[in-house]
C-alpha cells in the first residue's frame, strides 16, 4: 500500500531563517479545504506528495499563501533547472501569448523553428534532428517506435527486442511502462510484450558487477540473440537512485550497439539541460547515443519534450506520420527557448557542478555517520541517499519517509521517497541554488536524519 502524508495539522517548531520560514501547523489548517477538494475530485493515485499548497515559487524557493517558505530540493520533479518563476521565462510566455498565437498543431511557426534549431545546435553530432512532443513518456513511446522501425529495416521482424534496465522508470504509458524495470508498476498490463527485456543496471551498489560482461551474460540468460535487439534504452542515470553506469561499460555498450545495428537511446528526461553538471548527462560517459530524449528541465516551466536523433533514424517515417496535437505549442516553445538561454548564458551546468561538489561532499560525510545510509549517489545537482536496514542493502522506506516529512516541517521541501522499496531520499534543487542555501539545507537534512534514526531506535 502506497504511503500518504496525514492531513491532520501537526504543531511543528517555528522556523525563521533567511531561507526558510515555517510559522503554522503543517498541513496549514486553512489549506485543508483545498486539499480536501483535490481528494474529492482527483483519483487516489494523485496523492502521495507533501500536503503543502504551493502559492508561488521563485529561484530555489517555494512559498505557500500563509507565510511559509521552503528551500526546494525537488524542482517540482526536476523541472525548474533555470529556477522557479524566472522573469525571462514569464516575459517570453507573456510575449508569445500577447502575439495571439496560442496553438498551431503541426502548421509551421517561427518560434518552433527557432527552438529545434537551438536544441540541435547545442547537441553533438549526429543528434541533429529534433521532434517536439509534450511529455517525457511520449518521447519514450516515440523512441520505441523508431527503434522497432529501424530494427525492421535493418534485420526484419525478428529484430524487435527493446532492452532496458531493472529499476528503470521511463513513464506511465503502455510502452514506456513496459520499458521500465519496476515490476509492481506493470502488473496492470497483464500481457506484457515479451519483446521488452530488462537486465541489471551496473550501479555498483545493488549490482556490484559493473563489467560489460554482465550485459552480454544477461542477454544470454534472457535468451535474447544480439542480432534481434532493436534498441537499448537507459536513463542516463537511474532516477530511483541517481546512480550512473561506469564510463567503460557505456563505451562498450556504444560499440556493441553500433556493431549490432542496434539503436542506443539515452533517456535524458531527468539528466538533460545541466542537471548533472554537464549540459547532457551522456557527456559523463564520453559517448553519444543515437537518440536522446528530453522533457522536464527543457523549459523549466510549461509542458514540452523532445526526441533528438540521427537524421536517418528520425526520417524513417514519412510526412504526416509522427505528429501530436500539441507538438511545439508556441507558448511552450517560447518558454523553452527562454529557459535554454538562461541555462546556457548563466552557465548553470557549471553551477550545478560547483554546488554539486559541495553537496556531495556533505552527503558522503553524512553517509559515513549513519549506517542507515547504504549508498550516496549522483552527480552535479542530483543525489540519492539510499536508506537501508543497517548492515544490509534492504531499503528502509519508512526511514526515508520520516526524514522527508521532518525536512518538510523544517522548511526543506522534497518529493516523496523514490526508488527500490521507496528507500531513496532524492535531492534535486533548481540549478540556481547558492552555496549558502546548500549548506543551510544540508544542515536541515542532517538534523532530520539524526531525529528520524533516534525515533526509529527508540521505537524498536
Ligand atoms: C527518466 C524519465 N523518463 C521519462 C519520464 C516520464 O516523463 P513524463 O512524466 O513527462 O511523462 C520520467 C518522469 O519522471 C523520467 O524521470
Amino acid at each position: 500500500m502506497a504511503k500518504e502524508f496525514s492531513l491532520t495539522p501537526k504543531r511543528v517548531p517555528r522556523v525563521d531563517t533567511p531561507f526558510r520560514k515555517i510559522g503554522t501547523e503543517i498541513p496549514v489548517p486553512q489549506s485543508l479545504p483545498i486539499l480536501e477538494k483535490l481528494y474529492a475530485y482527483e483519483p487516489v493515485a494523485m496523492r502521495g506528495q507533501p500536503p503543502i499548497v504551493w502559492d508561488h515559487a521563485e529561484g530555489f524557493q517555494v512559498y505557500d499563501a500563509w507565510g511559509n517558505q521552503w528551500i526546494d530540493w525537488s524542482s517540482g520533479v526536476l523541472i525548474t533547472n533555470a529556477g522557479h518563476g524566472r522573469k525571462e521565462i514569464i516575459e517570453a510566455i507573456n510575449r508569445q501569448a500577447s502575439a495571439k498565437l496560442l496553438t498551431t498543431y503541426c502548421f509551421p511557426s517561427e518560434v518552433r523553428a527557432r527552438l529545434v534549431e537551438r536544441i540541435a545546435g547545442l547537441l553533438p553530432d549526429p543528434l541533429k534532428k529534433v521532434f517536439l512532443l509534450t511529455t517525457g513518456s511520449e518521447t519514450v513511446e516515440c523512441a520505441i517506435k523508431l527503434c522497432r522501425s529501424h530494427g525492421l529495416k535493418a534485420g526484419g521482424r525478428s529484430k524487435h527486442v527493446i532492452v532496458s534496465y531493472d529499476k528503470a522508470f521511463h513513464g506511465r504509458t503502455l510502452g514506456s511502462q513496459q520499458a521500465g524495470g519496476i515490476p509492481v508498476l506493470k502488473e496492470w498490463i497483464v500481457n506484457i510484450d515479451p519483446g521488452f527485456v530488462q537486465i541489471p543496471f551496473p550501479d555498483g551498489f545493488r549490482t556490484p558487477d559493473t563489467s560489460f560482461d554482465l550485459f552480454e551474460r544477461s542477454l544470454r540468460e534472457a535468451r535474447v540473440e544480439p542480432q534481434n535487439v532493436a534498441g537499448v534504452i537507459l536513463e542516463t542515470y537511474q532516477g530511483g537512485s541517481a546512480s550512473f553506469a561506469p564510463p567503460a561499460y557505456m563505451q562498450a555498450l556504444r560499440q556493441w550497439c553500433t556493431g549490432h545495428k542496434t539503436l542506443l537511446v539515452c533517456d535524458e528526461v531527468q539528466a538533460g539541460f545541466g542537471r548533472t553538471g554537464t549540459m547532457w548527462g551522456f557527456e559523463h560517459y564520453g559517448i553519444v547515443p543515437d537518440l536522446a530524449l528530453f522533457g522536464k528541465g527543457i523549459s523549466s516551466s510549461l509542458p514540452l519534450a523532445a526526441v533528438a536523433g540521427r537524421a536517418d533514424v528520425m526520417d524513417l517515417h514519412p510526412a504526416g506520420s509522427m505528429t501530436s496535437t500539441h507538438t511545439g505549442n508556441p507558448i511552450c516553445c517560447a518558454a523553452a527557448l527562454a529557459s535554454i538561454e538562461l541555462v546556457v548564458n548563466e552557465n548553470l551546468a557549471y553551477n550545478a557542478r560547483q554546488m554539486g561538489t559541495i553537496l556531495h561532499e556533505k552527503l558522503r560525510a553524512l553517509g559515513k555517520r549513519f549506517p542507515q545510509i547504504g549508498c550516496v549517489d549522483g552527480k552535479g545537482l542530483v543525489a540519492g541517499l539510499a536508506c537501508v536496514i543497517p548492515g544490509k542493502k534492504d531499503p528502509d522506506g519508512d526511514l526515508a519517509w520520516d526524514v522527508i516529512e521532518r525536512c518538510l516541517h523544517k522548511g526543506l521541501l522534497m518529493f516523496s521517497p523514490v526508488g527500490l522499496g521507496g528507500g531513496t531520499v532524492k535531492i534535486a534543487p533548481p540549478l540556481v541554488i547558492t552555496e549558502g542555501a546548500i549548506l543551510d539545507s544540508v544542515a536541515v537534512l542532517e538534523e532530520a536524519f539524526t531525529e528520524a534514526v533516534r525515533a526509529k531506535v527508540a521505537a524498536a
Side-chain angles (χ1 to χ4, degrees):
M1 181 69 186
K3 276 184 160 237
E4 287 179 42
F5 289 90
S6 164
L7 288 197
T8 306
K10 186 172 174 187
R11 291 184 70 152
V12 298
R14 199 179 175 78
V15 176
D16 191 357
T17 76
F19 297 120
R20 298 173 284 120
K21 298 200 190 314
I22 302 291
T24 66
E25 294 174 286
I26 303 287
V28 180
Q30 295 95 311
S31 74
L32 291 182
I34 301 170
L35 296 169
E36 283 159 4
K37 201 180 290 181
L38 291 169
Y39 273 40
Y41 291 107
E42 288 186 337
V44 172
M46 271 294 285
R47 300 179 196 169
Q49 293 303 336
I52 62 162
V53 178
W54 293 32
D55 180 70
H56 62 285
E58 278 178 65
F60 54 83
Q61 283 170 306
V62 169
Y63 303 79
D64 70 8
W66 298 278
N68 297 314
Q69 169 184 329
W70 288 263
I71 293 179
D72 179 27
W73 267 7
S74 75
S75 298
V77 61
L78 299 104
I79 304 165
T80 53
N81 285 19
H84 288 283
R86 291 297 303 262
K87 176 170 68 62
E88 294 82 349
I89 299 176
I90 294 170
E91 285 171 359
I93 291 171
N94 284 342
R95 257 195 317 276
Q96 187 59 47
S98 306
K100 295 194 181 151
L101 190 66
L102 305 186
T103 186
T104 60
Y105 171 51
C106 299
F107 294 101
S109 75
E110 190 270 341
V111 68
R112 190 174 96 221
R114 260 192 297 138
L115 178 58
V116 290
E117 180 190 39
R118 186 69 175 119
I119 295 172
L122 288 169
L123 282 163
D125 280 328
L127 304 176
K128 291 299 167 190
K129 283 230 170 180
V130 179
F131 174 39
L132 299 177
L133 285 160
T134 313
T135 68
S137 301
E138 282 176 289
T139 68
V140 176
E141 297 289 341
C142 177
I144 293 166
K145 174 170 172 172
L146 290 172
C147 286
R148 286 209 162 157
S149 307
H150 181 263
L152 260 177
K153 201 171 158 196
R157 291 177 66 84
S158 58
K159 193 170 180 65
H160 67 274
V161 177
I162 305 291
V163 173
S164 56
Y165 286 86
D166 291 340
K167 301 195 272 296
F169 184 80
H170 293 290
R172 295 194 192 275
T173 53
L174 186 61
S176 63
Q177 195 107 79
Q178 289 186 85
I182 305 171
V184 68
L185 299 185
K186 300 198 267 192
E187 281 167 7
W188 65 274
I189 298 173
V190 184
N191 55 340
I192 291 180
D193 178 347
F196 284 88
V197 170
Q198 282 87 57
I199 59 171
F201 185 82
D203 62 11
F205 176 54
R206 291 205 162 93
T207 305
D209 181 358
T210 61
S211 71
F212 190 67
D213 286 352
L214 177 67
F215 176 87
E216 296 189 299
R217 204 167 58 240
S218 304
L219 286 194
R220 278 198 300 277
E221 283 168 10
R223 300 184 191 289
V224 173
E225 296 293 337
Q227 70 270 18
N228 291 342
V229 181
V232 177
I233 175 166
L234 76 158
E235 296 164 283
T236 309
Y237 65 79
Q238 285 215 304
S241 56
S243 55
F244 285 71
Y249 177 102
M250 288 300 294
Q251 285 159 19
L253 178 61
R254 173 65 280 182
Q255 272 191 357
W256 188 95
C257 286
T258 305
H260 291 91
K261 295 192 171 64
T262 297
L263 296 184
L264 177 58
V265 185
C266 280
D267 177 345
E268 292 255 329
V269 168
Q270 287 200 17
F273 295 95
R275 169 63 55 192
T276 68
T278 52
M279 190 63 171
W280 318 117
F282 57 73
E283 289 176 66
H284 292 287
Y285 298 133
I287 60 136
V288 180
D290 300 299
L291 295 173
L293 315 180
F294 303 105
K296 296 188 188 285
I298 192 171
S299 69
S300 298
S301 54
L302 302 187
L304 189 102
V307 179
R310 272 169 40 190
D312 64 312
V313 176
M314 298 293 281
D315 286 339
L316 277 169
H317 287 271
S321 57
M322 284 205 320
T323 64
S324 177
T325 300
H326 293 296
T327 288
N329 171 279
I331 300 184
C332 299
C333 286
L337 274 164
S339 178
I340 292 169
E341 288 328 310
L342 289 170
V343 169
V344 171
N345 295 340
E346 296 185 354
N347 210 349
L348 294 182
Y350 176 76
N351 195 54
R353 199 153 66 241
Q354 297 294 103
M355 293 304 108
T357 303
I358 299 165
L359 173 71
H360 287 279
E361 193 186 306
K362 294 278 174 197
L363 294 179
R364 279 195 298 274
L366 198 66
K368 288 208 177 85
R369 260 190 63 197
F370 289 101
Q372 290 83 359
I373 299 175
C375 180
V376 177
D377 236 323
K379 287 185 197 301
L381 281 175
V382 63
L385 298 186
C387 295
V388 295
I389 307 300
K392 302 184 182 173
K393 290 182 182 173
D394 302 347
D396 188 344
D398 289 337
L399 179 65
W401 193 274
D402 193 19
V403 168
I404 286 171
E405 188 162 22
R406 286 173 191 274
C407 286
L408 179 75
H409 294 165
K410 295 172 191 292
L412 175 61
L413 180 61
M414 281 174 272
F415 42 77
S416 307
V418 295
L420 186 70
T424 304
V425 173
K426 179 106 169 256
I427 301 167
L431 308 187
V432 291
I433 197 163
T434 59
E435 180 171 354
I438 288 278
L439 295 175
D440 185 67
S441 42
V442 170
V444 174
L445 179 72
E446 188 165 356
E447 206 176 279
F449 242 104
T450 308
E451 290 172 9
V453 166
R454 200 178 292 147
K456 186 150 187 134
V457 170

